[in-house]
Amino acid sequence: RKEVEQDPGPFNVPEGATVAFNCTYSNSASQSFFWYRQDCRKEPKLLMSVYSSGNEDGRFTAQLNRASQYISLLIRDSKLSDSATYLCVVRLLAGGATNKLIFGTGTLLAVQP
Amino acid sequence: DGGITQSPKYLFRKEGQNVTLSCEQNLNHDAMYWYRQDPGQGLRLIYYSQIVNDFQKGDIAEGYSVSREKKESFPLTVTSAQKNPTAFYLCASRIRGFDTEAFFGQGTRLTVV
């Protein structure tokens, strides 16, 4: 089983739609959680961190469920510019390695006009 | 300006040759990472380093080697033992031990000809 799993998509949605991405992780010792965005042929960039209490940044809401080992990202009122690949990222605590960052395979979002 | 720099952007290698990819950062980050990305895939961890003179294997270390002699530098050597080296290679760095984002370089596209 992969350490971090995501639905690869693609998700094709119309402008203005609400879209949700899900991510599951297998290691209960996971410490920190993030969503990154990657545009085509570019490097990934941080979209938002994910906190236990849930957090929101404008149209974006991230949630964490430690009991179910599940992370989600909700995008409201989708824009054309939201089209990208969204990567779920987990920082692992494993022995002395507290800085191992594991990426999911990413979910491709295509927002249609 | 602070940042993380990878060079070269494009690299062509003949089969059987070793090649070294450069990664330099002036962000004073302790932790550095190398990932490989294949078309339509997520990022897979090759090696990571938490401090100078220390590094750990990631999930796909076979056929690769690294060194961390200076805090600013984390070069990756793709050896002839790597059977399928054509890919997009991404280097990242972050502050060790905090829930902070990883900053990525712009990547190196390696093609074996």
Side-chain angles (χ1 to χ4, degrees), chain A residues 3 32 34 36 38 41-44 46 87 91 96-105, chain B residues 33 35 37 41-43 45 48 50 59 90 94 96-97 99-102 104-106 109:
Chain A
E3 289 182 286
S32 311
F34 310 89
Y36 277 69
Q38 186 177 25
R41 300 178 72 82
K42 298 286 189 180
E43 73 275 20
L46 180 70
L87 297 157
R91 180 174 71 90
T98 61
N99 288 285
K100 187 177 183 182
L101 283 181
I102 302 297
F103 282 71
T105 53
Chain B
Y33 305 81
Y35 293 91
Q37 188 172 37
Q41 303 294 314
L43 280 66
L45 182 63
Y48 66 107
Q50 301 186 87
D59 300 316
L90 286 157
R94 62 188 293 272
R96 184 169 66 102
D99 292 341
T100 55
E101 71 178 287
F104 282 84
Q106 291 188 312
R109 293 195 180 275

mmCIF file of all heavy atoms in Angstrom, chain A residues 3 32 34 36 38 41-44 46 87 91 96-105, chain B residues 33 35 37 41-43 45 48 50 59 90 94 96-97 99-102 104-106 109:
data_model
loop_
_atom_site.group_PDB
_atom_site.id
_atom_site.type_symbol
_atom_site.label_atom_id
_atom_site.label_comp_id
_atom_site.label_asym_id
_atom_site.label_seq_id
_atom_site.Cartn_x
_atom_site.Cartn_y
_atom_site.Cartn_z
ATOM 1 N N GLU A 3 2.157 4.977 0.794
ATOM 2 C CA GLU A 3 2.081 5.738 2.050
ATOM 3 C C GLU A 3 1.076 6.871 1.963
ATOM 4 O O GLU A 3 0.450 7.231 2.964
ATOM 5 C CB GLU A 3 3.470 6.269 2.390
ATOM 6 C CG GLU A 3 4.444 5.166 2.828
ATOM 7 C CD GLU A 3 5.793 5.696 3.209
ATOM 8 O OE1 GLU A 3 6.558 6.079 2.293
ATOM 9 O OE2 GLU A 3 6.095 5.727 4.411
ATOM 10 N N SER A 32 2.819 16.075 9.984
ATOM 11 C CA SER A 32 2.348 17.318 9.372
ATOM 12 C C SER A 32 1.782 17.010 7.994
ATOM 13 O O SER A 32 2.198 16.038 7.357
ATOM 14 C CB SER A 32 3.499 18.313 9.218
ATOM 15 O OG SER A 32 4.222 18.449 10.405
ATOM 16 N N PHE A 34 0.125 18.799 4.227
ATOM 17 C CA PHE A 34 0.114 19.969 3.357
ATOM 18 C C PHE A 34 -0.603 19.635 2.053
ATOM 19 O O PHE A 34 -0.675 18.478 1.649
ATOM 20 C CB PHE A 34 1.556 20.381 2.998
ATOM 21 C CG PHE A 34 2.492 20.519 4.173
ATOM 22 C CD1 PHE A 34 3.213 19.426 4.623
ATOM 23 C CD2 PHE A 34 2.656 21.734 4.807
ATOM 24 C CE1 PHE A 34 4.086 19.536 5.703
ATOM 25 C CE2 PHE A 34 3.526 21.858 5.891
ATOM 26 C CZ PHE A 34 4.243 20.754 6.335
ATOM 27 N N TYR A 36 -0.060 20.922 -1.886
ATOM 28 C CA TYR A 36 0.750 21.672 -2.829
ATOM 29 C C TYR A 36 0.021 21.718 -4.161
ATOM 30 O O TYR A 36 -0.754 20.825 -4.502
ATOM 31 C CB TYR A 36 2.126 21.009 -3.035
ATOM 32 C CG TYR A 36 3.146 21.367 -1.988
ATOM 33 C CD1 TYR A 36 3.012 20.916 -0.682
ATOM 34 C CD2 TYR A 36 4.231 22.168 -2.306
ATOM 35 C CE1 TYR A 36 3.946 21.259 0.283
ATOM 36 C CE2 TYR A 36 5.169 22.515 -1.353
ATOM 37 C CZ TYR A 36 5.022 22.057 -0.064
ATOM 38 O OH TYR A 36 5.953 22.409 0.893
ATOM 39 N N GLN A 38 0.768 22.101 -8.353
ATOM 40 C CA GLN A 38 1.804 22.033 -9.380
ATOM 41 C C GLN A 38 1.192 22.334 -10.737
ATOM 42 O O GLN A 38 0.293 21.621 -11.196
ATOM 43 C CB GLN A 38 2.483 20.657 -9.404
ATOM 44 C CG GLN A 38 3.657 20.588 -10.369
ATOM 45 C CD GLN A 38 4.372 19.250 -10.339
ATOM 46 O OE1 GLN A 38 3.795 18.237 -9.978
ATOM 47 N NE2 GLN A 38 5.661 19.239 -10.708
ATOM 48 N N ARG A 41 4.556 21.230 -15.941
ATOM 49 C CA ARG A 41 5.986 21.342 -16.192
ATOM 50 C C ARG A 41 6.671 22.381 -15.278
ATOM 51 O O ARG A 41 7.708 22.942 -15.618
ATOM 52 C CB ARG A 41 6.247 21.677 -17.659
ATOM 53 C CG ARG A 41 5.702 20.606 -18.609
ATOM 54 C CD ARG A 41 5.927 20.989 -20.066
ATOM 55 N NE ARG A 41 7.321 20.884 -20.463
ATOM 56 C CZ ARG A 41 7.915 19.757 -20.830
ATOM 57 N NH1 ARG A 41 7.240 18.626 -20.836
ATOM 58 N NH2 ARG A 41 9.188 19.753 -21.183
ATOM 59 N N LYS A 42 6.059 22.617 -14.121
ATOM 60 C CA LYS A 42 6.643 23.548 -13.150
ATOM 61 C C LYS A 42 6.896 22.820 -11.836
ATOM 62 O O LYS A 42 6.479 21.677 -11.649
ATOM 63 C CB LYS A 42 5.680 24.713 -12.892
ATOM 64 C CG LYS A 42 5.374 25.552 -14.108
ATOM 65 C CD LYS A 42 6.543 26.433 -14.464
ATOM 66 C CE LYS A 42 6.157 27.431 -15.549
ATOM 67 N NZ LYS A 42 7.310 28.290 -15.898
ATOM 68 N N GLU A 43 7.578 23.522 -10.917
ATOM 69 C CA GLU A 43 7.801 22.931 -9.614
ATOM 70 C C GLU A 43 6.566 23.086 -8.729
ATOM 71 O O GLU A 43 5.781 24.023 -8.892
ATOM 72 C CB GLU A 43 9.021 23.587 -8.932
ATOM 73 C CG GLU A 43 8.798 25.001 -8.420
ATOM 74 C CD GLU A 43 9.009 26.051 -9.474
ATOM 75 O OE1 GLU A 43 8.954 25.734 -10.692
ATOM 76 O OE2 GLU A 43 9.210 27.216 -9.086
ATOM 77 N N PRO A 44 6.369 22.196 -7.756
ATOM 78 C CA PRO A 44 5.246 22.336 -6.822
ATOM 79 C C PRO A 44 5.444 23.547 -5.912
ATOM 80 O O PRO A 44 6.572 23.901 -5.565
ATOM 81 C CB PRO A 44 5.306 21.047 -6.000
ATOM 82 C CG PRO A 44 6.161 20.111 -6.772
ATOM 83 C CD PRO A 44 7.134 20.966 -7.520
ATOM 84 N N LEU A 46 3.598 25.464 -2.293
ATOM 85 C CA LEU A 46 2.664 25.262 -1.192
ATOM 86 C C LEU A 46 1.357 25.999 -1.434
ATOM 87 O O LEU A 46 1.345 27.200 -1.725
ATOM 88 C CB LEU A 46 3.284 25.747 0.116
ATOM 89 C CG LEU A 46 2.396 25.590 1.343
ATOM 90 C CD1 LEU A 46 2.250 24.109 1.700
ATOM 91 C CD2 LEU A 46 2.963 26.375 2.529
ATOM 92 N N LEU A 87 -1.329 18.190 -5.000
ATOM 93 C CA LEU A 87 -0.545 17.134 -4.373
ATOM 94 C C LEU A 87 -0.732 17.153 -2.864
ATOM 95 O O LEU A 87 -0.573 18.199 -2.221
ATOM 96 C CB LEU A 87 0.940 17.346 -4.686
ATOM 97 C CG LEU A 87 1.334 17.266 -6.158
ATOM 98 C CD1 LEU A 87 2.627 18.013 -6.406
ATOM 99 C CD2 LEU A 87 1.478 15.823 -6.592
ATOM 100 N N ARG A 91 4.439 14.721 6.249
ATOM 101 C CA ARG A 91 5.773 14.653 6.861
ATOM 102 C C ARG A 91 5.730 13.539 7.907
ATOM 103 O O ARG A 91 4.881 13.524 8.791
ATOM 104 C CB ARG A 91 6.155 15.967 7.529
ATOM 105 C CG ARG A 91 7.545 15.931 8.173
ATOM 106 C CD ARG A 91 7.950 17.294 8.691
ATOM 107 N NE ARG A 91 7.190 17.701 9.862
ATOM 108 C CZ ARG A 91 7.536 17.440 11.123
ATOM 109 N NH1 ARG A 91 8.629 16.747 11.379
ATOM 110 N NH2 ARG A 91 6.785 17.866 12.121
ATOM 111 N N GLY A 96 14.643 8.282 13.731
ATOM 112 C CA GLY A 96 15.269 9.594 13.845
ATOM 113 C C GLY A 96 14.981 10.483 12.659
ATOM 114 O O GLY A 96 15.442 11.616 12.587
ATOM 115 N N ALA A 97 14.183 9.993 11.743
ATOM 116 C CA ALA A 97 13.930 10.753 10.514
ATOM 117 C C ALA A 97 12.627 11.518 10.655
ATOM 118 O O ALA A 97 11.557 11.017 10.364
ATOM 119 C CB ALA A 97 13.873 9.818 9.324
ATOM 120 N N THR A 98 12.743 12.743 11.129
ATOM 121 C CA THR A 98 11.530 13.516 11.333
ATOM 122 C C THR A 98 11.217 14.414 10.156
ATOM 123 O O THR A 98 10.272 15.170 10.208
ATOM 124 C CB THR A 98 11.677 14.391 12.586
ATOM 125 O OG1 THR A 98 12.780 15.294 12.382
ATOM 126 C CG2 THR A 98 11.924 13.551 13.813
ATOM 127 N N ASN A 99 12.030 14.348 9.135
ATOM 128 C CA ASN A 99 11.848 15.292 8.040
ATOM 129 C C ASN A 99 11.592 14.614 6.708
ATOM 130 O O ASN A 99 11.781 15.206 5.669
ATOM 131 C CB ASN A 99 13.079 16.197 7.926
ATOM 132 C CG ASN A 99 13.124 17.187 9.069
ATOM 133 O OD1 ASN A 99 12.380 18.151 9.080
ATOM 134 N ND2 ASN A 99 13.962 16.916 10.047
ATOM 135 N N LYS A 100 11.115 13.399 6.730
ATOM 136 C CA LYS A 100 10.828 12.698 5.488
ATOM 137 C C LYS A 100 9.498 13.204 4.952
ATOM 138 O O LYS A 100 8.464 13.077 5.592
ATOM 139 C CB LYS A 100 10.768 11.193 5.735
ATOM 140 C CG LYS A 100 10.645 10.366 4.476
ATOM 141 C CD LYS A 100 10.664 8.876 4.803
ATOM 142 C CE LYS A 100 10.614 8.039 3.524
ATOM 143 N NZ LYS A 100 10.581 6.585 3.827
ATOM 144 N N LEU A 101 9.524 13.782 3.778
ATOM 145 C CA LEU A 101 8.322 14.317 3.140
ATOM 146 C C LEU A 101 7.872 13.372 2.039
ATOM 147 O O LEU A 101 8.629 13.104 1.106
ATOM 148 C CB LEU A 101 8.594 15.686 2.522
ATOM 149 C CG LEU A 101 8.665 16.902 3.424
ATOM 150 C CD1 LEU A 101 8.927 18.143 2.589
ATOM 151 C CD2 LEU A 101 7.391 17.073 4.225
ATOM 152 N N ILE A 102 6.640 12.898 2.131
ATOM 153 C CA ILE A 102 6.106 11.971 1.140
ATOM 154 C C ILE A 102 4.961 12.640 0.383
ATOM 155 O O ILE A 102 4.039 13.182 0.999
ATOM 156 C CB ILE A 102 5.597 10.681 1.798
ATOM 157 C CG1 ILE A 102 6.721 9.996 2.574
ATOM 158 C CG2 ILE A 102 5.027 9.737 0.747
ATOM 159 C CD1 ILE A 102 7.881 9.531 1.716
ATOM 160 N N PHE A 103 5.038 12.594 -0.941
ATOM 161 C CA PHE A 103 4.025 13.191 -1.801
ATOM 162 C C PHE A 103 3.080 12.121 -2.330
ATOM 163 O O PHE A 103 3.507 11.001 -2.649
ATOM 164 C CB PHE A 103 4.689 13.874 -2.998
ATOM 165 C CG PHE A 103 5.284 15.214 -2.685
ATOM 166 C CD1 PHE A 103 6.422 15.313 -1.908
ATOM 167 C CD2 PHE A 103 4.709 16.375 -3.167
ATOM 168 C CE1 PHE A 103 6.978 16.558 -1.600
ATOM 169 C CE2 PHE A 103 5.254 17.614 -2.884
ATOM 170 C CZ PHE A 103 6.391 17.703 -2.097
ATOM 171 N N GLY A 104 1.816 12.477 -2.450
ATOM 172 C CA GLY A 104 0.880 11.635 -3.166
ATOM 173 C C GLY A 104 1.100 11.784 -4.658
ATOM 174 O O GLY A 104 1.905 12.599 -5.113
ATOM 175 N N THR A 105 0.381 10.996 -5.441
ATOM 176 C CA THR A 105 0.553 11.024 -6.889
ATOM 177 C C THR A 105 -0.082 12.246 -7.537
ATOM 178 O O THR A 105 0.188 12.552 -8.681
ATOM 179 C CB THR A 105 -0.033 9.766 -7.531
ATOM 180 O OG1 THR A 105 -1.380 9.621 -7.080
ATOM 181 C CG2 THR A 105 0.757 8.533 -7.141
ATOM 182 N N TYR B 33 16.089 17.760 -0.127
ATOM 183 C CA TYR B 33 15.436 16.579 -0.702
ATOM 184 C C TYR B 33 15.681 16.498 -2.206
ATOM 185 O O TYR B 33 15.772 17.533 -2.870
ATOM 186 C CB TYR B 33 13.912 16.663 -0.493
ATOM 187 C CG TYR B 33 13.469 16.860 0.921
ATOM 188 C CD1 TYR B 33 13.474 18.133 1.501
ATOM 189 C CD2 TYR B 33 13.024 15.792 1.688
ATOM 190 C CE1 TYR B 33 13.055 18.321 2.806
ATOM 191 C CE2 TYR B 33 12.598 15.976 2.999
ATOM 192 C CZ TYR B 33 12.616 17.239 3.546
ATOM 193 O OH TYR B 33 12.208 17.428 4.839
ATOM 194 N N TYR B 35 13.678 14.567 -5.441
ATOM 195 C CA TYR B 35 12.530 13.802 -5.909
ATOM 196 C C TYR B 35 12.668 13.566 -7.404
ATOM 197 O O TYR B 35 13.269 14.361 -8.129
ATOM 198 C CB TYR B 35 11.220 14.553 -5.662
ATOM 199 C CG TYR B 35 10.863 14.716 -4.213
ATOM 200 C CD1 TYR B 35 11.287 15.841 -3.501
ATOM 201 C CD2 TYR B 35 10.094 13.763 -3.553
ATOM 202 C CE1 TYR B 35 10.950 15.994 -2.166
ATOM 203 C CE2 TYR B 35 9.752 13.914 -2.215
ATOM 204 C CZ TYR B 35 10.193 15.037 -1.531
ATOM 205 O OH TYR B 35 9.864 15.188 -0.215
ATOM 206 N N GLN B 37 10.123 12.823 -10.777
ATOM 207 C CA GLN B 37 8.741 12.850 -11.258
ATOM 208 C C GLN B 37 8.711 12.355 -12.695
ATOM 209 O O GLN B 37 9.398 12.889 -13.565
ATOM 210 C CB GLN B 37 8.136 14.255 -11.162
ATOM 211 C CG GLN B 37 6.651 14.284 -11.477
ATOM 212 C CD GLN B 37 6.025 15.632 -11.201
ATOM 213 O OE1 GLN B 37 6.640 16.668 -11.417
ATOM 214 N NE2 GLN B 37 4.786 15.640 -10.703
ATOM 215 N N GLN B 41 2.815 11.479 -13.153
ATOM 216 C CA GLN B 41 2.993 10.839 -11.852
ATOM 217 C C GLN B 41 3.290 11.868 -10.776
ATOM 218 O O GLN B 41 3.614 13.011 -11.060
ATOM 219 C CB GLN B 41 4.156 9.840 -11.918
ATOM 220 C CG GLN B 41 4.008 8.771 -12.977
ATOM 221 C CD GLN B 41 2.846 7.849 -12.682
ATOM 222 O OE1 GLN B 41 2.670 7.391 -11.550
ATOM 223 N NE2 GLN B 41 2.035 7.579 -13.697
ATOM 224 N N GLY B 42 3.198 11.409 -9.530
ATOM 225 C CA GLY B 42 3.572 12.274 -8.421
ATOM 226 C C GLY B 42 5.074 12.277 -8.211
ATOM 227 O O GLY B 42 5.835 11.776 -9.034
ATOM 228 N N LEU B 43 5.506 12.851 -7.098
ATOM 229 C CA LEU B 43 6.922 12.930 -6.773
ATOM 230 C C LEU B 43 7.329 11.734 -5.924
ATOM 231 O O LEU B 43 6.662 11.414 -4.934
ATOM 232 C CB LEU B 43 7.213 14.212 -5.980
ATOM 233 C CG LEU B 43 7.348 15.506 -6.762
ATOM 234 C CD1 LEU B 43 6.042 15.917 -7.406
ATOM 235 C CD2 LEU B 43 7.868 16.605 -5.855
ATOM 236 N N LEU B 45 10.439 10.085 -3.643
ATOM 237 C CA LEU B 45 11.612 10.521 -2.883
ATOM 238 C C LEU B 45 12.809 9.641 -3.181
ATOM 239 O O LEU B 45 12.749 8.412 -3.035
ATOM 240 C CB LEU B 45 11.283 10.495 -1.389
ATOM 241 C CG LEU B 45 12.369 10.970 -0.432
ATOM 242 C CD1 LEU B 45 12.710 12.441 -0.680
ATOM 243 C CD2 LEU B 45 11.916 10.763 1.004
ATOM 244 N N TYR B 48 17.124 12.148 1.020
ATOM 245 C CA TYR B 48 16.953 13.387 1.742
ATOM 246 C C TYR B 48 18.040 13.512 2.794
ATOM 247 O O TYR B 48 18.646 12.516 3.201
ATOM 248 C CB TYR B 48 15.551 13.518 2.340
ATOM 249 C CG TYR B 48 15.206 12.529 3.424
ATOM 250 C CD1 TYR B 48 15.138 12.927 4.756
ATOM 251 C CD2 TYR B 48 14.904 11.207 3.114
ATOM 252 C CE1 TYR B 48 14.793 12.035 5.747
ATOM 253 C CE2 TYR B 48 14.565 10.306 4.095
ATOM 254 C CZ TYR B 48 14.503 10.717 5.412
ATOM 255 O OH TYR B 48 14.161 9.819 6.404
ATOM 256 N N GLN B 50 19.008 15.683 6.482
ATOM 257 C CA GLN B 50 18.496 16.533 7.553
ATOM 258 C C GLN B 50 19.535 17.529 8.039
ATOM 259 O O GLN B 50 19.191 18.593 8.570
ATOM 260 C CB GLN B 50 18.001 15.668 8.724
ATOM 261 C CG GLN B 50 16.896 14.716 8.301
ATOM 262 C CD GLN B 50 16.300 13.971 9.472
ATOM 263 O OE1 GLN B 50 15.378 14.454 10.122
ATOM 264 N NE2 GLN B 50 16.817 12.780 9.749
ATOM 265 N N ASP B 59 12.536 6.313 -1.190
ATOM 266 C CA ASP B 59 11.863 5.105 -1.673
ATOM 267 C C ASP B 59 12.489 4.508 -2.930
ATOM 268 O O ASP B 59 12.265 3.345 -3.241
ATOM 269 C CB ASP B 59 10.388 5.427 -1.936
ATOM 270 C CG ASP B 59 9.688 5.907 -0.671
ATOM 271 O OD1 ASP B 59 9.908 5.292 0.382
ATOM 272 O OD2 ASP B 59 8.934 6.902 -0.744
ATOM 273 N N LEU B 90 13.497 17.053 -9.126
ATOM 274 C CA LEU B 90 13.204 18.234 -8.323
ATOM 275 C C LEU B 90 13.948 18.181 -7.002
ATOM 276 O O LEU B 90 13.949 17.164 -6.318
ATOM 277 C CB LEU B 90 11.701 18.320 -8.045
ATOM 278 C CG LEU B 90 10.849 18.737 -9.232
ATOM 279 C CD1 LEU B 90 9.415 18.267 -9.049
ATOM 280 C CD2 LEU B 90 10.873 20.245 -9.399
ATOM 281 N N ARG B 94 13.861 22.779 3.267
ATOM 282 C CA ARG B 94 12.946 23.328 4.269
ATOM 283 C C ARG B 94 13.682 23.437 5.590
ATOM 284 O O ARG B 94 14.732 22.829 5.792
ATOM 285 C CB ARG B 94 11.701 22.467 4.423
ATOM 286 C CG ARG B 94 11.954 21.066 4.884
ATOM 287 C CD ARG B 94 10.662 20.227 4.828
ATOM 288 N NE ARG B 94 9.677 20.679 5.792
ATOM 289 C CZ ARG B 94 9.623 20.237 7.042
ATOM 290 N NH1 ARG B 94 10.499 19.373 7.493
ATOM 291 N NH2 ARG B 94 8.683 20.684 7.857
ATOM 292 N N ARG B 96 14.400 22.450 9.178
ATOM 293 C CA ARG B 96 14.285 21.148 9.840
ATOM 294 C C ARG B 96 13.488 21.268 11.132
ATOM 295 O O ARG B 96 13.695 22.170 11.911
ATOM 296 C CB ARG B 96 15.679 20.614 10.138
ATOM 297 C CG ARG B 96 15.724 19.232 10.740
ATOM 298 C CD ARG B 96 17.158 18.724 10.719
ATOM 299 N NE ARG B 96 18.037 19.489 11.593
ATOM 300 C CZ ARG B 96 18.434 19.083 12.790
ATOM 301 N NH1 ARG B 96 18.006 17.935 13.250
ATOM 302 N NH2 ARG B 96 19.236 19.824 13.509
ATOM 303 N N GLY B 97 12.557 20.334 11.337
ATOM 304 C CA GLY B 97 11.899 20.222 12.620
ATOM 305 C C GLY B 97 10.702 21.115 12.831
ATOM 306 O O GLY B 97 10.121 21.127 13.889
ATOM 307 N N ASP B 99 6.909 22.740 11.101
ATOM 308 C CA ASP B 99 5.880 22.449 10.104
ATOM 309 C C ASP B 99 5.869 23.531 9.039
ATOM 310 O O ASP B 99 4.875 24.227 8.863
ATOM 311 C CB ASP B 99 4.513 22.343 10.789
ATOM 312 C CG ASP B 99 4.442 21.125 11.689
ATOM 313 O OD1 ASP B 99 5.261 20.205 11.511
ATOM 314 O OD2 ASP B 99 3.570 21.091 12.569
ATOM 315 N N THR B 100 6.984 23.650 8.379
ATOM 316 C CA THR B 100 7.115 24.706 7.373
ATOM 317 C C THR B 100 7.137 24.115 5.980
ATOM 318 O O THR B 100 7.377 22.924 5.802
ATOM 319 C CB THR B 100 8.405 25.494 7.606
ATOM 320 O OG1 THR B 100 9.507 24.587 7.624
ATOM 321 C CG2 THR B 100 8.342 26.244 8.932
ATOM 322 N N GLU B 101 6.926 24.973 5.019
ATOM 323 C CA GLU B 101 6.831 24.494 3.648
ATOM 324 C C GLU B 101 8.199 24.139 3.100
ATOM 325 O O GLU B 101 9.231 24.644 3.547
ATOM 326 C CB GLU B 101 6.165 25.539 2.761
ATOM 327 C CG GLU B 101 7.021 26.774 2.489
ATOM 328 C CD GLU B 101 6.310 27.746 1.566
ATOM 329 O OE1 GLU B 101 6.205 27.438 0.361
ATOM 330 O OE2 GLU B 101 5.898 28.820 2.041
ATOM 331 N N ALA B 102 8.174 23.270 2.117
ATOM 332 C CA ALA B 102 9.361 22.953 1.343
ATOM 333 C C ALA B 102 9.375 23.850 0.114
ATOM 334 O O ALA B 102 8.357 24.025 -0.552
ATOM 335 C CB ALA B 102 9.345 21.484 0.926
ATOM 336 N N PHE B 104 10.928 24.511 -3.619
ATOM 337 C CA PHE B 104 11.485 23.713 -4.691
ATOM 338 C C PHE B 104 12.298 24.556 -5.656
ATOM 339 O O PHE B 104 12.000 25.734 -5.891
ATOM 340 C CB PHE B 104 10.364 23.033 -5.481
ATOM 341 C CG PHE B 104 9.799 21.829 -4.802
ATOM 342 C CD1 PHE B 104 8.809 21.963 -3.837
ATOM 343 C CD2 PHE B 104 10.252 20.562 -5.119
ATOM 344 C CE1 PHE B 104 8.292 20.845 -3.195
ATOM 345 C CE2 PHE B 104 9.745 19.438 -4.499
ATOM 346 C CZ PHE B 104 8.761 19.585 -3.534
ATOM 347 N N GLY B 105 13.305 23.922 -6.237
ATOM 348 C CA GLY B 105 13.968 24.492 -7.392
ATOM 349 C C GLY B 105 13.096 24.282 -8.614
ATOM 350 O O GLY B 105 12.042 23.644 -8.550
ATOM 351 N N GLN B 106 13.535 24.828 -9.739
ATOM 352 C CA GLN B 106 12.730 24.749 -10.952
ATOM 353 C C GLN B 106 12.873 23.418 -11.672
ATOM 354 O O GLN B 106 12.194 23.178 -12.667
ATOM 355 C CB GLN B 106 13.087 25.906 -11.883
ATOM 356 C CG GLN B 106 12.641 27.249 -11.319
ATOM 357 C CD GLN B 106 12.810 28.362 -12.327
ATOM 358 O OE1 GLN B 106 13.849 28.504 -12.957
ATOM 359 N NE2 GLN B 106 11.764 29.141 -12.500
ATOM 360 N N ARG B 109 15.357 18.536 -16.213
ATOM 361 C CA ARG B 109 14.801 17.471 -17.077
ATOM 362 C C ARG B 109 15.968 16.690 -17.658
ATOM 363 O O ARG B 109 16.732 17.225 -18.456
ATOM 364 C CB ARG B 109 13.943 18.062 -18.188
ATOM 365 C CG ARG B 109 12.702 18.715 -17.648
ATOM 366 C CD ARG B 109 11.651 18.999 -18.678
ATOM 367 N NE ARG B 109 10.516 19.631 -18.032
ATOM 368 C CZ ARG B 109 9.540 18.958 -17.438
ATOM 369 N NH1 ARG B 109 9.543 17.646 -17.436
ATOM 370 N NH2 ARG B 109 8.542 19.591 -16.865
#
